[in-house]
């Protein structure tokens, strides 16, 4: 591609500390955050927007940062284990803290793929009664988004790294069973137009 006249390379630079602070404040739903908190999270996130979002959400869920008036502050001193080294570690730790039924739903969805239909997930999920509540909570926690509602309700993982982390958190024998169940469910749900689903 590099030799083509219509090829352009765009360098994506890390966010500055000021821009990182704006993003963190947006995740927390406040106008501004204290300098110490901004510097700490910005330093850990190294200007990567997705990492900044995930680490902020992780700190909030674990009570490491707490509301203080119109902003947020650290609730205690950080320990090395509070700040995972990689973005995958942050995502895995967030998934690990989910209630068991939410964890099962996100893992099962991850086996289907980055995008998944609610109808297919419903066909293979172990949890039927709480499935809608689980999906709603996973949306609130911004693990997944609604992609479309017509002709079927479909979801997409916020980021491919989120789907990969959930997928890799499964034991291989359970993963194999889910792949088999998904294949059979696709055959049942789409028998009239199965050729369109071969790649899936």
């Amino acid at each position: 591609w590099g030799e083509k006249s219509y090829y352009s390379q765009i360098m994506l630079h890390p966010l500055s500390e000021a821009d990182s602070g704006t993003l963190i404040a947006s995740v927390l739903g406040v106008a501004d955050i204290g300098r110490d908190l901004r510097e700490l999270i910005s330093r850990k996130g190294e200007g990567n927007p997705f990492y900044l979002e995930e680490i902020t959400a992780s700190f909030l869920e674990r009570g490491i940062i707490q509301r203080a008036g119109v902003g947020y502050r650290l609730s205690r001193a950080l320990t090395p284990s509070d700040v995972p080294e990689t973005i995958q570690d942050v995502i895995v730790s967030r998934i690990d803290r989910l209630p068991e039924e939410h964890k099962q739903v996100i893992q099962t969805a991850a086996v289907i793929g980055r995008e998944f239909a609610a109808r297919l997930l419903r066909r293979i999920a172990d949890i039927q009664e709480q499935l809608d509540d689980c999906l709603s909570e996973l949306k609130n926690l911004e693990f997944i988004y609604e992609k479309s509602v017509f002709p079927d309700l479909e979801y997409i993982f916020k980021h491919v790294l989120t789907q990969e982390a959930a997928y890799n958190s499964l034991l291989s024998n359970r993963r194999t069973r889910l792949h088999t169940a998904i294949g059979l469910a696709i055959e049942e749900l789409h028998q009239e137009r199965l050729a369109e689903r071969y790649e899936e």
Side-chain angles (χ1 to χ4, degrees), residues 35-104:
R35 183 178 168 200
D36 291 347
L37 187 57
R38 182 183 71 234
E39 286 178 356
L40 172 75
I41 297 177
S42 297
R43 191 169 60 248
K44 298 297 181 186
E46 298 179 338
N48 178 319
F50 184 54
Y51 197 0
L52 289 164
E53 286 182 348
E54 289 298 310
I55 204 163
T56 302
S58 176
F59 280 8
L60 191 59
E61 289 168 6
R62 290 158 57 201
I64 294 171
I65 55 177
Q66 293 180 336
R67 191 87 192 203
V70 294
Y72 282 83
R73 63 172 174 74
L74 279 172
S75 62
R76 59 174 172 79
L78 287 179
T79 64
S81 64
D82 287 330
V83 189
E85 291 298 316
T86 66
I87 182 64
Q88 289 88 347
D89 292 340
V90 176
I91 298 166
V92 168
S93 70
R94 288 191 67 207
I95 291 171
D96 283 345
R97 285 192 305 278
L98 290 171
E100 192 56 38
E101 60 271 13
H102 292 69
K103 194 185 301 185
Q104 284 181 24

Side-chain angles (χ1 to χ4, degrees), residues 22-194:
T22 302
L23 187 143
I24 295 162
S26 174
V27 170
L28 295 172
V30 295
D32 194 18
I33 56 172
R35 183 178 168 200
D36 291 347
L37 187 57
R38 182 183 71 234
E39 286 178 356
L40 172 75
I41 297 177
S42 297
R43 191 169 60 248
K44 298 297 181 186
E46 298 179 338
N48 178 319
F50 184 54
Y51 197 0
L52 289 164
E53 286 182 348
E54 289 298 310
I55 204 163
T56 302
S58 176
F59 280 8
L60 191 59
E61 289 168 6
R62 290 158 57 201
I64 294 171
I65 55 177
Q66 293 180 336
R67 191 87 192 203
V70 294
Y72 282 83
R73 63 172 174 74
L74 279 172
S75 62
R76 59 174 172 79
L78 287 179
T79 64
S81 64
D82 287 330
V83 189
E85 291 298 316
T86 66
I87 182 64
Q88 289 88 347
D89 292 340
V90 176
I91 298 166
V92 168
S93 70
R94 288 191 67 207
I95 291 171
D96 283 345
R97 285 192 305 278
L98 290 171
E100 192 56 38
E101 60 271 13
H102 292 69
K103 194 185 301 185
Q104 284 181 24
V105 170
I106 197 171
Q107 289 172 329
T108 303
V111 178
I112 296 172
R114 170 105 195 265
E115 301 175 16
F116 58 95
R119 185 166 69 134
L120 177 56
L121 181 62
R122 189 171 306 285
R123 181 62 71 100
I124 60 167
D126 295 332
I127 304 157
Q128 293 297 321
E129 302 79 35
Q130 305 109 314
L131 185 60
D132 291 335
D133 291 340
C134 288
L135 287 169
S136 179
E137 185 58 21
L138 291 171
K139 264 178 33 184
N140 290 339
L141 294 170
E142 296 190 3
F143 283 109
I144 60 173
Y145 297 131
E146 271 185 23
K147 183 181 175 222
S148 63
V149 292
F150 184 82
D152 292 317
L153 178 58
E154 292 190 359
Y155 293 91
I156 185 169
F157 278 88
K158 176 181 180 177
H159 197 284
V160 69
L161 290 176
T162 307
Q163 184 246 334
E164 288 174 358
Y167 182 85
N168 292 329
S169 68
L170 282 163
L171 296 174
S172 60
N173 59 350
R174 180 156 182 251
R175 204 183 302 165
T176 302
R177 285 197 312 272
L178 285 171
H179 276 294
T180 303
I182 290 163
L184 294 171
I186 289 172
E187 286 182 348
E188 288 175 20
L189 291 170
H190 303 285
Q191 31 185 311
E192 303 301 319
R193 303 171 74 176
L194 195 57

